[in-house]
Amino acid sequence: MACFVPPKYLSIISALLTPLALTSAREELPLMNPIADSVEWGDLTLHLEYWMTAPPTDQKSPRARINSMKPATDGSGRLFLNDLRGPLYLIKDNQLTTYLDLREKLSALYSERGLGGGFNFFEFHPEFETNGLFYTIHTEEPGVKTPDFEGPKGIDDTAIGSVVLEWRANKPMASTFEGSFRQLMRVHFPRHIHCLQDMAFNPHAKQGDEDYGLLYVAVGEGGSMKAGQAVFLNRTDSIWGTIIRIDPLGNNSPNGQYGIPDTNPWAEDGDDNTLGELWAIGFRNPHRFAWGPNGRLFATDIGEINVEEINLIEKGRNYGWPLREGTFEFQLDHNKFGLLPLPEGDEGFTYPVAQFDHKDANAISGGYIYQGNQHPLLKDQYVFGAIVQGHLFYTDATQLQLGQLGKVEKFHVSFEGKETTMSTLTDSGRVDLRLGVDHENELYVFEKNKGQIFRIQEVTLSSH
Ligand SMILES: [Ca+2]
Ligand SMILES: [Ca+2]
Protein backbone atom coordinates (compact mmCIF):
# COMPACT_ATOMS: atom_id res chain seq x y z
CA MET A 1 0.00 0.00 0.00
CA ALA A 2 1.42 3.34 -1.00
CA CYS A 3 2.00 6.03 1.59
CA PHE A 4 -0.54 8.75 1.14
CA VAL A 5 0.95 12.20 1.51
CA PRO A 6 -1.42 15.14 1.36
CA PRO A 7 -0.37 17.86 -1.07
CA LYS A 8 0.33 20.38 1.66
CA TYR A 9 2.83 17.96 3.12
CA LEU A 10 4.53 17.15 -0.15
CA SER A 11 5.69 20.71 -0.47
CA ILE A 12 7.17 20.49 2.99
CA ILE A 13 8.91 17.23 2.23
CA SER A 14 10.35 18.66 -0.94
CA ALA A 15 11.88 21.40 1.16
CA LEU A 16 13.81 18.82 3.19
CA LEU A 17 15.83 20.16 6.07
CA THR A 18 14.61 23.70 5.77
CA PRO A 19 13.13 25.02 9.02
CA LEU A 20 9.48 24.28 9.19
CA ALA A 21 6.81 26.82 8.67
CA LEU A 22 3.91 24.50 9.09
CA THR A 23 0.54 26.07 9.00
CA SER A 24 -2.74 24.39 8.47
CA ALA A 25 -4.43 25.11 5.18
CA ARG A 26 -7.59 25.46 7.20
CA GLU A 27 -8.37 28.62 9.08
CA GLU A 28 -10.92 27.17 11.48
CA LEU A 29 -10.36 27.38 15.21
CA PRO A 30 -9.48 24.11 16.90
CA LEU A 31 -12.27 22.11 18.47
CA MET A 32 -12.62 23.02 22.12
CA ASN A 33 -13.66 19.57 23.23
CA PRO A 34 -13.32 17.05 20.41
CA ILE A 35 -14.39 14.05 22.50
CA ALA A 36 -17.08 15.31 24.83
CA ASP A 37 -18.04 11.99 26.38
CA SER A 38 -16.16 10.39 29.24
CA VAL A 39 -15.54 6.67 29.47
CA GLU A 40 -18.52 5.23 31.34
CA TRP A 41 -18.50 2.74 34.15
CA GLY A 42 -19.01 -0.81 32.95
CA ASP A 43 -20.63 -3.70 34.81
CA LEU A 44 -17.40 -5.50 35.69
CA THR A 45 -15.55 -5.28 38.98
CA LEU A 46 -11.91 -6.30 39.25
CA HIS A 47 -11.16 -7.68 42.70
CA LEU A 48 -7.45 -7.17 43.23
CA GLU A 49 -5.18 -8.86 45.73
CA TYR A 50 -1.76 -7.71 46.79
CA TRP A 51 0.96 -9.91 45.35
CA MET A 52 4.40 -8.39 45.97
CA THR A 53 6.46 -5.23 45.81
CA ALA A 54 9.50 -4.96 43.57
CA PRO A 55 12.80 -4.13 45.33
CA PRO A 56 13.90 -0.49 45.46
CA THR A 57 16.53 0.52 42.91
CA ASP A 58 17.24 3.91 44.45
CA GLN A 59 17.19 5.47 47.89
CA LYS A 60 15.47 8.55 46.57
CA SER A 61 12.09 8.77 44.91
CA PRO A 62 10.98 7.07 42.81
CA ARG A 63 12.04 3.97 44.70
CA ALA A 64 11.55 1.72 41.67
CA ARG A 65 10.86 2.04 37.94
CA ILE A 66 9.32 -1.28 36.98
CA ASN A 67 7.92 -1.35 33.47
CA SER A 68 7.09 -4.71 31.93
CA MET A 69 6.22 -8.17 33.28
CA LYS A 70 5.81 -11.28 31.15
CA PRO A 71 6.65 -15.01 31.24
CA ALA A 72 9.55 -16.76 29.56
CA THR A 73 8.47 -18.69 26.46
CA ASP A 74 9.90 -21.93 27.86
CA GLY A 75 6.91 -23.38 29.69
CA SER A 76 8.76 -23.04 33.00
CA GLY A 77 6.20 -20.73 34.58
CA ARG A 78 8.96 -18.24 35.28
CA LEU A 79 7.94 -14.59 35.17
CA PHE A 80 10.32 -11.76 34.33
CA LEU A 81 10.06 -8.13 35.36
CA ASN A 82 12.33 -5.24 34.42
CA ASP A 83 13.27 -2.03 36.21
CA LEU A 84 14.37 0.85 33.99
CA ARG A 85 17.42 1.38 36.18
CA GLY A 86 18.84 -1.96 35.05
CA PRO A 87 17.61 -5.14 36.75
CA LEU A 88 15.74 -7.94 35.02
CA TYR A 89 14.06 -9.90 37.81
CA LEU A 90 12.99 -13.51 37.74
CA ILE A 91 9.88 -14.45 39.72
CA LYS A 92 9.30 -18.14 40.44
CA ASP A 93 7.05 -19.56 43.17
CA ASN A 94 6.42 -16.01 44.43
CA GLN A 95 10.16 -15.47 44.98
CA LEU A 96 11.86 -12.58 43.22
CA THR A 97 15.57 -12.77 42.35
CA THR A 98 17.79 -10.81 39.96
CA TYR A 99 18.33 -12.66 36.67
CA LEU A 100 20.48 -10.01 34.98
CA ASP A 101 21.43 -6.42 35.76
CA LEU A 102 22.10 -4.26 32.70
CA ARG A 103 24.07 -1.83 34.89
CA GLU A 104 26.74 -4.51 35.25
CA LYS A 105 26.92 -5.18 31.50
CA LEU A 106 26.40 -1.79 29.87
CA SER A 107 28.48 1.10 31.14
CA ALA A 108 26.59 3.47 28.82
CA LEU A 109 23.11 2.58 30.12
CA TYR A 110 21.37 5.89 30.63
CA SER A 111 18.30 5.96 32.83
CA GLU A 112 18.34 9.37 34.43
CA ARG A 113 16.48 11.77 32.20
CA GLY A 114 13.05 11.40 30.67
CA LEU A 115 10.11 9.30 31.75
CA GLY A 116 11.13 6.39 29.54
CA GLY A 117 14.92 6.31 29.78
CA GLY A 118 16.84 3.20 30.84
CA PHE A 119 16.20 -0.52 30.39
CA ASN A 120 12.81 -0.26 28.74
CA PHE A 121 11.63 -3.61 27.41
CA PHE A 122 12.51 -7.25 26.95
CA GLU A 123 11.11 -10.08 24.85
CA PHE A 124 11.93 -13.79 24.69
CA HIS A 125 12.53 -15.50 21.38
CA PRO A 126 9.87 -18.19 20.76
CA GLU A 127 12.65 -20.79 20.98
CA PHE A 128 14.29 -19.37 24.10
CA GLU A 129 14.06 -22.78 25.73
CA THR A 130 16.57 -24.20 23.25
CA ASN A 131 18.42 -21.20 21.79
CA GLY A 132 18.59 -19.04 24.94
CA LEU A 133 17.83 -15.85 22.99
CA PHE A 134 16.04 -12.82 24.29
CA TYR A 135 15.99 -9.15 23.34
CA THR A 136 16.18 -5.90 25.26
CA ILE A 137 15.73 -2.21 24.55
CA HIS A 138 17.61 0.41 26.51
CA THR A 139 18.74 4.01 26.12
CA GLU A 140 22.23 5.50 26.02
CA GLU A 141 23.55 8.99 25.60
CA PRO A 142 24.21 9.73 21.95
CA GLY A 143 27.78 9.88 20.78
CA VAL A 144 28.71 6.57 22.43
CA LYS A 145 28.46 4.71 19.13
CA THR A 146 27.40 5.43 15.58
CA PRO A 147 23.67 4.94 15.10
CA ASP A 148 22.05 2.90 12.37
CA PHE A 149 19.30 5.50 12.22
CA GLU A 150 20.22 9.04 13.14
CA GLY A 151 18.50 12.34 13.11
CA PRO A 152 18.43 14.31 9.90
CA LYS A 153 21.76 15.64 8.75
CA GLY A 154 22.20 19.25 9.70
CA ILE A 155 19.98 19.03 12.76
CA ASP A 156 22.36 18.58 15.61
CA ASP A 157 20.22 18.12 18.66
CA THR A 158 20.12 14.36 19.03
CA ALA A 159 19.35 13.77 22.68
CA ILE A 160 19.33 10.04 23.16
CA GLY A 161 20.18 6.73 21.56
CA SER A 162 17.84 3.75 21.82
CA VAL A 163 19.36 0.31 21.36
CA VAL A 164 18.08 -3.21 20.59
CA LEU A 165 20.32 -5.97 21.97
CA GLU A 166 20.19 -9.72 21.54
CA TRP A 167 21.23 -11.79 24.56
CA ARG A 168 22.18 -15.46 24.40
CA ALA A 169 21.91 -17.38 27.66
CA ASN A 170 24.33 -20.31 27.83
CA LYS A 171 21.83 -22.19 29.97
CA PRO A 172 18.30 -21.00 29.23
CA MET A 173 16.82 -22.65 32.32
CA ALA A 174 19.42 -21.19 34.72
CA SER A 175 18.17 -18.75 37.33
CA THR A 176 20.87 -16.16 36.61
CA PHE A 177 22.09 -15.03 33.21
CA GLU A 178 25.41 -16.20 31.90
CA GLY A 179 26.16 -15.65 28.26
CA SER A 180 26.82 -13.03 25.64
CA PHE A 181 25.07 -10.18 23.87
CA ARG A 182 25.29 -8.24 20.64
CA GLN A 183 23.74 -5.08 19.22
CA LEU A 184 21.09 -5.36 16.54
CA MET A 185 20.17 -1.74 16.04
CA ARG A 186 20.74 1.77 17.39
CA VAL A 187 18.34 4.64 16.71
CA HIS A 188 18.91 8.26 17.68
CA PHE A 189 16.08 10.58 18.73
CA PRO A 190 15.88 14.35 19.22
CA ARG A 191 14.31 14.28 22.72
CA HIS A 192 14.38 12.05 25.81
CA ILE A 193 10.85 10.85 25.13
CA HIS A 194 8.95 8.42 22.88
CA CYS A 195 12.01 6.37 21.84
CA LEU A 196 12.01 2.64 21.04
CA GLN A 197 9.06 1.19 22.89
CA ASP A 198 7.48 -2.23 23.15
CA MET A 199 8.68 -5.21 21.13
CA ALA A 200 7.00 -8.51 20.49
CA PHE A 201 7.06 -11.74 18.56
CA ASN A 202 3.71 -12.97 17.31
CA PRO A 203 2.85 -15.64 19.92
CA HIS A 204 0.28 -17.16 17.56
CA ALA A 205 2.74 -17.77 14.70
CA LYS A 206 3.91 -21.36 14.36
CA GLN A 207 7.17 -22.57 12.88
CA GLY A 208 6.87 -22.27 9.12
CA ASP A 209 4.37 -19.38 9.29
CA GLU A 210 5.46 -16.23 7.50
CA ASP A 211 5.35 -14.21 10.73
CA TYR A 212 7.22 -16.74 12.87
CA GLY A 213 10.33 -15.46 14.65
CA LEU A 214 9.95 -11.90 13.38
CA LEU A 215 10.35 -9.16 15.95
CA TYR A 216 8.00 -6.18 15.92
CA VAL A 217 9.43 -3.02 17.51
CA ALA A 218 7.38 0.08 18.21
CA VAL A 219 9.35 3.22 17.37
CA GLY A 220 8.22 6.49 18.91
CA GLU A 221 8.67 9.85 17.25
CA GLY A 222 11.31 10.82 19.79
CA GLY A 223 9.73 14.15 20.57
CA SER A 224 10.50 15.25 17.02
CA MET A 225 7.18 17.02 16.52
CA LYS A 226 7.86 19.37 19.43
CA ALA A 227 11.50 19.63 18.40
CA GLY A 228 10.32 21.23 15.16
CA GLN A 229 11.06 18.12 13.11
CA ALA A 230 7.55 16.97 12.30
CA VAL A 231 8.57 16.95 8.67
CA PHE A 232 10.50 13.74 9.35
CA LEU A 233 7.37 11.95 10.49
CA ASN A 234 4.70 10.14 8.52
CA ARG A 235 7.17 9.04 5.91
CA THR A 236 8.37 5.73 4.56
CA ASP A 237 12.01 6.86 4.54
CA SER A 238 12.15 7.69 8.27
CA ILE A 239 12.10 5.23 11.16
CA TRP A 240 10.65 7.75 13.62
CA GLY A 241 7.03 7.15 14.58
CA THR A 242 6.67 3.70 13.03
CA ILE A 243 6.29 0.03 13.78
CA ILE A 244 9.08 -2.06 12.31
CA ARG A 245 9.36 -5.81 11.75
CA ILE A 246 12.79 -7.44 11.62
CA ASP A 247 14.29 -10.92 11.61
CA PRO A 248 16.78 -10.96 14.48
CA LEU A 249 18.39 -14.14 13.11
CA GLY A 250 18.84 -12.73 9.61
CA ASN A 251 21.63 -10.53 8.27
CA ASN A 252 20.48 -8.70 5.12
CA SER A 253 20.07 -5.32 6.86
CA PRO A 254 22.49 -2.50 6.00
CA ASN A 255 24.48 -3.17 9.19
CA GLY A 256 24.34 -6.94 8.72
CA GLN A 257 23.09 -7.50 12.27
CA TYR A 258 19.48 -8.45 11.55
CA GLY A 259 17.31 -9.44 8.64
CA ILE A 260 14.65 -7.54 6.71
CA PRO A 261 11.81 -9.86 5.65
CA ASP A 262 11.11 -9.49 1.94
CA THR A 263 7.40 -9.60 2.76
CA ASN A 264 7.64 -6.25 4.58
CA PRO A 265 5.66 -3.59 2.69
CA TRP A 266 8.58 -1.39 1.66
CA ALA A 267 11.30 -4.05 1.46
CA GLU A 268 10.81 -5.05 -2.15
CA ASP A 269 9.17 -1.91 -3.55
CA GLY A 270 12.14 -1.11 -5.79
CA ASP A 271 12.78 2.13 -3.89
CA ASP A 272 16.06 2.33 -2.00
CA ASN A 273 14.85 5.33 -0.02
CA THR A 274 11.93 3.61 1.65
CA LEU A 275 12.93 1.58 4.68
CA GLY A 276 12.47 -2.15 4.39
CA GLU A 277 12.20 -2.45 8.17
CA LEU A 278 8.89 -0.55 8.30
CA TRP A 279 5.64 -2.43 8.86
CA ALA A 280 3.33 0.56 9.46
CA ILE A 281 3.81 4.31 9.89
CA GLY A 282 2.16 7.35 11.50
CA PHE A 283 2.63 6.93 15.27
CA ARG A 284 3.49 9.35 18.03
CA ASN A 285 4.21 7.08 20.99
CA PRO A 286 3.20 3.50 20.21
CA HIS A 287 3.87 2.44 23.76
CA ARG A 288 2.52 -1.10 23.90
CA PHE A 289 1.53 -4.03 21.72
CA ALA A 290 -1.23 -6.54 22.43
CA TRP A 291 -2.04 -9.69 20.46
CA GLY A 292 -5.56 -10.81 19.83
CA PRO A 293 -6.36 -14.51 20.07
CA ASN A 294 -6.28 -14.95 16.29
CA GLY A 295 -2.95 -13.20 15.83
CA ARG A 296 -4.33 -9.70 15.33
CA LEU A 297 -1.81 -7.10 16.49
CA PHE A 298 -3.00 -4.05 18.41
CA ALA A 299 -0.87 -1.06 19.41
CA THR A 300 -1.72 1.84 21.67
CA ASP A 301 -0.73 5.34 20.65
CA ILE A 302 -0.40 8.03 23.30
CA GLY A 303 -1.77 11.32 22.03
CA GLU A 304 -0.45 14.87 22.11
CA ILE A 305 -3.57 16.89 22.82
CA ASN A 306 -6.86 15.11 23.25
CA VAL A 307 -6.94 11.55 22.05
CA GLU A 308 -5.66 8.19 23.33
CA GLU A 309 -5.79 5.42 20.74
CA ILE A 310 -5.98 1.67 20.31
CA ASN A 311 -5.00 0.70 16.78
CA LEU A 312 -5.40 -2.54 14.87
CA ILE A 313 -2.10 -2.85 13.04
CA GLU A 314 -2.04 -4.04 9.46
CA LYS A 315 0.84 -4.16 7.03
CA GLY A 316 1.66 -0.96 5.18
CA ARG A 317 -0.95 1.30 6.75
CA ASN A 318 -0.53 4.92 7.81
CA TYR A 319 -1.96 5.62 11.29
CA GLY A 320 -1.90 9.37 10.91
CA TRP A 321 0.48 11.14 13.30
CA PRO A 322 1.31 14.04 13.08
CA LEU A 323 -1.38 14.81 10.51
CA ARG A 324 -4.07 13.03 12.47
CA GLU A 325 -4.76 12.46 16.16
CA GLY A 326 -7.53 9.94 16.68
CA THR A 327 -10.32 10.61 14.22
CA PHE A 328 -9.36 14.28 13.88
CA GLU A 329 -7.04 16.38 11.79
CA PHE A 330 -4.08 17.52 13.82
CA GLN A 331 -3.39 21.18 13.20
CA LEU A 332 0.36 21.57 12.93
CA ASP A 333 1.28 25.11 13.65
CA HIS A 334 4.42 26.76 14.94
CA ASN A 335 2.88 28.08 18.08
CA LYS A 336 -0.30 26.20 18.70
CA PHE A 337 -1.65 22.77 18.12
CA GLY A 338 -5.27 21.84 17.84
CA LEU A 339 -7.68 19.30 16.48
CA LEU A 340 -10.11 19.88 13.63
CA PRO A 341 -12.83 17.67 12.19
CA LEU A 342 -11.55 15.48 9.36
CA PRO A 343 -11.40 17.34 6.06
CA GLU A 344 -13.73 16.51 3.23
CA GLY A 345 -12.50 13.76 0.97
CA ASP A 346 -10.19 12.46 3.68
CA GLU A 347 -8.32 9.33 2.62
CA GLY A 348 -5.06 7.52 3.12
CA PHE A 349 -5.13 7.21 6.90
CA THR A 350 -6.11 4.37 9.17
CA TYR A 351 -7.98 5.44 12.28
CA PRO A 352 -8.10 3.86 15.74
CA VAL A 353 -10.46 1.01 16.55
CA ALA A 354 -11.05 2.59 19.96
CA GLN A 355 -10.26 6.03 21.30
CA PHE A 356 -11.02 8.21 24.30
CA ASP A 357 -10.15 11.57 25.73
CA HIS A 358 -7.16 12.69 27.79
CA LYS A 359 -9.49 13.54 30.64
CA ASP A 360 -9.88 9.78 31.18
CA ALA A 361 -6.17 9.04 30.78
CA ASN A 362 -3.22 11.39 30.44
CA ALA A 363 -1.63 8.46 28.67
CA ILE A 364 -3.08 5.09 27.70
CA SER A 365 -1.27 2.21 29.42
CA GLY A 366 -1.54 -0.75 27.08
CA GLY A 367 -2.44 -4.11 28.51
CA TYR A 368 -3.48 -7.53 27.32
CA ILE A 369 -6.36 -9.25 25.62
CA TYR A 370 -7.39 -11.70 28.31
CA GLN A 371 -6.87 -15.33 27.34
CA GLY A 372 -6.69 -16.86 30.81
CA ASN A 373 -9.09 -19.40 32.29
CA GLN A 374 -9.72 -18.10 35.79
CA HIS A 375 -12.02 -15.22 34.85
CA PRO A 376 -14.50 -16.12 32.10
CA LEU A 377 -16.05 -12.63 32.30
CA LEU A 378 -12.78 -11.22 30.97
CA LYS A 379 -12.52 -13.58 28.00
CA ASP A 380 -11.29 -11.67 24.92
CA GLN A 381 -11.55 -8.34 26.74
CA TYR A 382 -8.68 -5.97 26.04
CA VAL A 383 -7.75 -4.83 29.56
CA PHE A 384 -5.71 -1.64 29.78
CA GLY A 385 -5.34 1.46 31.91
CA ALA A 386 -4.78 5.14 32.47
CA ILE A 387 -1.41 6.57 33.44
CA VAL A 388 -1.92 9.31 36.04
CA GLN A 389 -5.61 8.63 36.78
CA GLY A 390 -5.03 4.93 37.45
CA HIS A 391 -8.34 3.85 35.89
CA LEU A 392 -8.62 0.37 34.44
CA PHE A 393 -10.56 -0.03 31.20
CA TYR A 394 -11.83 -2.76 28.93
CA THR A 395 -13.15 -3.21 25.45
CA ASP A 396 -14.25 -6.39 23.71
CA ALA A 397 -11.37 -7.17 21.35
CA THR A 398 -13.52 -9.44 19.18
CA GLN A 399 -15.61 -6.37 18.29
CA LEU A 400 -12.69 -4.15 17.31
CA GLN A 401 -12.70 -3.56 13.54
CA LEU A 402 -11.02 -1.05 11.27
CA GLY A 403 -13.42 1.72 10.34
CA GLN A 404 -15.33 1.50 13.62
CA LEU A 405 -14.80 2.82 17.13
CA GLY A 406 -15.26 0.17 19.81
CA LYS A 407 -16.88 0.90 23.14
CA VAL A 408 -14.49 1.42 26.06
CA GLU A 409 -15.75 0.92 29.61
CA LYS A 410 -14.25 1.48 33.03
CA PHE A 411 -13.82 -1.30 35.62
CA HIS A 412 -14.87 -0.91 39.18
CA VAL A 413 -11.91 -1.85 41.37
CA SER A 414 -12.26 -3.67 44.67
CA PHE A 415 -9.69 -4.59 47.33
CA GLU A 416 -10.43 -6.64 50.44
CA GLY A 417 -14.13 -6.38 49.74
CA LYS A 418 -14.27 -2.60 49.36
CA GLU A 419 -14.56 -0.54 46.22
CA THR A 420 -11.41 1.51 45.79
CA THR A 421 -9.11 3.07 43.18
CA MET A 422 -5.56 2.36 42.07
CA SER A 423 -4.69 5.82 43.30
CA THR A 424 -5.78 4.87 46.82
CA LEU A 425 -4.26 1.40 46.64
CA THR A 426 -0.86 2.68 45.61
CA ASP A 427 -1.08 5.94 47.56
CA SER A 428 -0.22 7.83 44.38
CA GLY A 429 -1.63 11.08 43.09
CA ARG A 430 -0.02 10.18 39.80
CA VAL A 431 -0.51 6.49 39.13
CA ASP A 432 2.08 5.27 36.65
CA LEU A 433 -0.02 2.21 35.95
CA ARG A 434 1.26 -0.89 34.15
CA LEU A 435 -0.17 -4.30 33.38
CA GLY A 436 1.62 -7.62 33.29
CA VAL A 437 0.78 -11.19 32.29
CA ASP A 438 1.94 -14.64 33.39
CA HIS A 439 2.36 -18.01 31.63
CA GLU A 440 -1.31 -18.86 32.26
CA ASN A 441 -2.36 -15.53 30.72
CA GLU A 442 -3.52 -14.19 34.07
CA LEU A 443 -3.19 -10.44 34.52
CA TYR A 444 -1.41 -8.25 37.03
CA VAL A 445 -1.62 -4.54 37.69
CA PHE A 446 1.32 -2.60 39.06
CA GLU A 447 2.59 0.89 39.76
CA LYS A 448 5.90 1.70 38.13
CA ASN A 449 7.36 3.98 40.78
CA LYS A 450 6.00 2.47 43.98
CA GLY A 451 6.58 -1.05 42.73
CA GLN A 452 3.47 -2.68 44.21
CA ILE A 453 2.11 -5.53 42.11
CA PHE A 454 -1.51 -6.68 42.38
CA ARG A 455 -3.11 -9.78 40.92
CA ILE A 456 -6.66 -10.10 39.66
CA GLN A 457 -8.28 -12.35 42.24
CA GLU A 458 -11.84 -12.37 40.98
CA VAL A 459 -14.03 -10.65 38.43
CA THR A 460 -17.70 -10.08 39.13
CA LEU A 461 -20.66 -8.54 37.35
CA SER A 462 -21.71 -5.60 39.46
CA SER A 463 -25.14 -4.14 40.04
CA HIS A 464 -24.26 -0.49 40.45
CA1 LIG B 1 12.38 0.04 -0.02
CA1 LIG C 1 -3.44 7.59 14.93
Side-chain angles (χ1 to χ4, degrees), residues 37-42 44 46 48 308 356-367 382-394 408-414 419-426 428-435 444-447:
D37 295 337
S38 296
V39 175
E40 292 180 6
W41 291 105
L44 295 180
L46 289 183
L48 300 180
E308 299 300 308
F356 55 93
D357 193 273
H358 269 333
K359 59 182 170 281
D360 291 305
N362 283 43
I364 183 170
S365 185
Y382 188 171
V383 179
F384 58 101
I387 293 171
V388 173
Q389 292 86 343
H391 302 316
L392 285 154
F393 301 119
Y394 60 105
V408 174
E409 296 179 276
K410 186 158 57 174
F411 283 108
H412 296 270
V413 174
S414 173
E419 182 142 356
T420 184
T421 63
M422 287 306 295
S423 178
T424 302
L425 272 183
T426 60
S428 303
R430 184 189 190 286
V431 186
D432 217 334
L433 185 125
R434 297 287 187 275
L435 288 101
Y444 299 73
V445 181
F446 57 95
E447 212 282 331

Side-chain angles (χ1 to χ4, degrees), residues 282 301 309 311 319-321 324-326 350 352:
D301 200 6
E309 304 181 359
N311 293 287
Y319 290 81
W321 180 255
R324 298 289 182 270
E325 179 169 303
T350 297

Side-chain angles (χ1 to χ4, degrees), residues 340-361:
L340 296 172
L342 291 179
E344 281 182 40
D346 177 58
E347 61 174 319
F349 298 105
T350 297
Y351 291 100
V353 292
Q355 68 180 18
F356 55 93
D357 193 273
H358 269 333
K359 59 182 170 281
D360 291 305

Side-chain angles (χ1 to χ4, degrees), residues 42-46 377-378 381 394 410-413 459-462:
D43 294 330
L44 295 180
T45 298
L46 289 183
L377 288 169
L378 286 188
Q381 297 295 325
Y394 60 105
K410 186 158 57 174
F411 283 108
H412 296 270
V413 174
V459 181
T460 54
L461 263 178
S462 6

Side-chain angles (χ1 to χ4, degrees), residues 147-460:
D148 301 298
F149 299 91
E150 61 184 330
K153 293 260 188 291
I155 296 180
D156 186 26
D157 69 345
T158 297
I160 200 157
S162 208
V163 182
V164 183
L165 298 181
E166 177 184 83
W167 301 76
R168 184 184 293 272
N170 295 338
K171 294 178 183 167
M173 303 307 278
S175 56
T176 53
F177 174 82
E178 268 182 52
S180 55
F181 67 91
R182 69 185 182 95
Q183 179 181 311
L184 264 59
M185 175 187 292
R186 177 178 298 260
V187 183
H188 280 180
F189 294 96
R191 295 287 183 270
H192 291 85
I193 51 173
H194 317 158
C195 300
L196 294 184
Q197 299 287 10
D198 206 358
M199 58 180 163
F201 292 101
N202 181 349
H204 303 278
K206 304 272 187 293
Q207 256 171 331
D209 290 353
E210 189 272 330
D211 209 23
Y212 182 79
L214 300 183
L215 184 64
Y216 291 82
V217 182
V219 185
E221 49 92 279
S224 49
M225 196 278 287
K226 285 216 164 141
Q229 298 175 30
V231 69
F232 300 104
L233 300 174
N234 209 274
R235 294 166 55 156
T236 52
D237 62 352
S238 169
I239 199 171
W240 292 347
T242 67
I243 289 171
I244 63 171
R245 189 180 75 149
I246 61 172
D247 176 4
L249 306 186
N251 58 14
N252 67 337
S253 59
N255 70 4
Q257 298 302 306
Y258 59 90
I260 297 175
D262 60 11
T263 43
N264 278 6
W266 293 285
E268 297 293 330
D269 61 352
D271 184 343
D272 288 344
N273 290 319
T274 58
L275 298 177
E277 288 88 345
L278 304 187
W279 184 251
I281 67 168
F283 301 94
R284 179 178 176 273
N285 186 8
H287 197 232
R288 298 288 170 137
F289 291 132
W291 293 94
N294 46 8
R296 296 204 297 173
L297 174 61
F298 295 89
T300 56
D301 200 6
I302 296 173
E304 173 72 35
I305 303 182
N306 290 95
V307 188
E308 299 300 308
E309 304 181 359
I310 294 172
N311 293 287
L312 174 56
I313 304 305
E314 291 188 357
K315 172 180 177 173
R317 289 185 176 271
N318 180 347
Y319 290 81
W321 180 255
L323 302 170
R324 298 289 182 270
E325 179 169 303
T327 54
F328 300 91
E329 179 175 340
F330 186 78
Q331 200 176 28
L332 266 172
D333 192 301
H334 256 322
N335 302 309
K336 62 177 178 9
F337 306 115
L339 299 186
L340 296 172
L342 291 179
E344 281 182 40
D346 177 58
E347 61 174 319
F349 298 105
T350 297
Y351 291 100
V353 292
Q355 68 180 18
F356 55 93
D357 193 273
H358 269 333
K359 59 182 170 281
D360 291 305
N362 283 43
I364 183 170
S365 185
Y368 297 88
I369 295 162
Y370 183 77
Q371 297 298 307
N373 295 317
Q374 285 184 26
H375 312 298
L377 288 169
L378 286 188
K379 184 76 178 162
D380 293 333
Q381 297 295 325
Y382 188 171
V383 179
F384 58 101
I387 293 171
V388 173
Q389 292 86 343
H391 302 316
L392 285 154
F393 301 119
Y394 60 105
T395 183
D396 184 346
T398 65
Q399 300 299 308
L400 298 178
Q401 302 292 342
L402 291 177
Q404 297 173 18
L405 287 174
K407 184 180 185 188
V408 174
E409 296 179 276
K410 186 158 57 174
F411 283 108
H412 296 270
V413 174
S414 173
F415 184 76
E416 294 181 340
K418 288 198 194 104
E419 182 142 356
T420 184
T421 63
M422 287 306 295
S423 178
T424 302
L425 272 183
T426 60
D427 191 24
S428 303
R430 184 189 190 286
V431 186
D432 217 334
L433 185 125
R434 297 287 187 275
L435 288 101
V437 68
D438 69 15
H439 67 294
E440 294 180 317
N441 293 308
E442 296 302 332
L443 301 187
Y444 299 73
V445 181
F446 57 95
E447 212 282 331
K448 177 180 167 189
N449 303 311
K450 297 286 181 73
Q452 304 114 310
I453 307 173
F454 298 85
R455 195 157 47 178
I456 298 176
Q457 179 183 36
E458 193 185 3
V459 181
T460 54

